[in-house]
Amino acid sequence: KASELIAGNGINGINESGNWITPFCQHESNPEVMFIGYQNLWRTTNLQQYSPSWTRISMNNGTGSIKVVENSPADGNIFYYVTSGGSLVRSDNRMETSPNYADSRDLLPGSGKVTDVEAHPFDADIVYITRNTQVYKSINKGLNWENISGNLPNINLNDLAYYNRNSVEGLYVATNIGV
C-alpha cells in the first residue's frame, strides 16, 4: 500500500500499528498536512516531502485503535476520530503542538459502535454519525444528538457522505445492502 511507504509502523517516525485499513485524511485547506490514525493520531506538516516526518498528537488512553478520522471543512481546527473501543473524540485545536481532546463516549446516543463521522461542510457545530442502524445529528459538536434515521431500513449503517449542493441538507448513507 502506498500509505505504508510514507506512514507505516517504523516509517518516518511512526512507531505503532493500527487497524488493517488505516484511516487517514488530508487537511481541508493545507496540502502539506495529513492525519493518520493508528493507536494514536499522527500528523505530518510536510506531506509533499520525499520522507515526511510524523508526530504523535494524541495519547491513547486504552480506547482502542483509531478506525475513523474526519476533518471539519467548516473549521480547520476541528477534528473527530472514532476508536475501536467506542469513543468519539473531538479536538477543537488539532493544529496546536499539543491539541486538546474531548471524549464524548458517554454522550453518544443509542447503542453499538460508531461506524462513521461526517462533519457539516459549512456549519462547524454540526456533525453526523452512524451507529448501529441509526443516523444521528448534533448541532453542538456532539454534546446532544437527534435521531434523523427516518424510514431507513433496520440494517447496519457503515458510511456517510454529505450531499453538498445549494442549501439542501442531505446525506448519503451506505448500508450492508446498498446506498
Side-chain angles (χ1 to χ4, degrees):
K1 295 186 296 190
S3 64
E4 288 180 352
L5 297 176
I6 63 166
N9 186 5
I11 304 292
N12 298 326
I14 293 177
N15 60 3
E16 61 189 30
S17 60
N19 287 331
W20 173 254
I21 299 175
T22 305
F24 65 92
C25 62
Q26 204 164 0
H27 191 280
E28 290 287 333
S29 60
N30 185 345
E32 286 285 344
V33 177
M34 181 177 268
F35 301 88
I36 192 161
Y38 285 102
Q39 294 297 312
N40 293 285
L41 186 63
W42 294 77
R43 175 182 61 207
T44 184
T45 57
N46 62 345
L47 181 63
Q48 296 179 15
Q49 300 298 314
Y50 179 73
S51 296
S53 58
W54 293 88
T55 303
R56 184 179 64 209
I57 60 170
S58 74
M59 290 299 292
N60 186 334
N61 58 0
T63 58
S65 59
I66 295 173
K67 58 185 230 173
V68 176
V69 293
E70 173 68 7
N71 284 295
S72 170
D75 183 336
N77 290 309
I78 299 173
F79 192 82
Y80 297 90
Y81 67 85
V82 176
T83 68
S84 59
S87 290
L88 172 64
V89 180
R90 184 187 84 236
S91 174
D92 291 335
N93 65 343
R94 65 158 171 177
M95 293 306 295
E96 297 292 325
T97 302
S98 298
N100 295 322
Y101 296 95
D103 186 337
S104 61
R105 177 187 348 202
D106 296 335
L107 303 173
L108 291 173
S111 63
K113 303 280 184 183
V114 174
T115 54
D116 201 13
V117 179
E118 183 72 15
H120 193 281
F122 310 117
D123 189 331
D125 291 329
I126 297 177
V127 63
Y128 307 89
I129 62 170
T130 51
R131 191 171 196 197
N132 212 2
T133 61
Q134 306 295 308
V135 179
Y136 297 95
K137 175 183 179 180
S138 173
I139 60 171
N140 54 11
K141 298 182 196 171
L143 296 177
N144 301 99
W145 296 92
E146 173 189 1
N147 186 334
I148 61 167
S149 302
N151 61 356
L152 286 172
N154 191 27
I155 56 174
N156 287 333
L157 307 178
N158 303 314
D159 294 298
L160 289 170
Y162 190 86
Y163 177 73
N164 193 1
R165 295 282 186 210
N166 300 326
S167 62
V168 176
E169 180 180 41
L171 293 170
Y172 289 102
V173 182
T175 73
N176 285 350
I177 62 170
V179 178

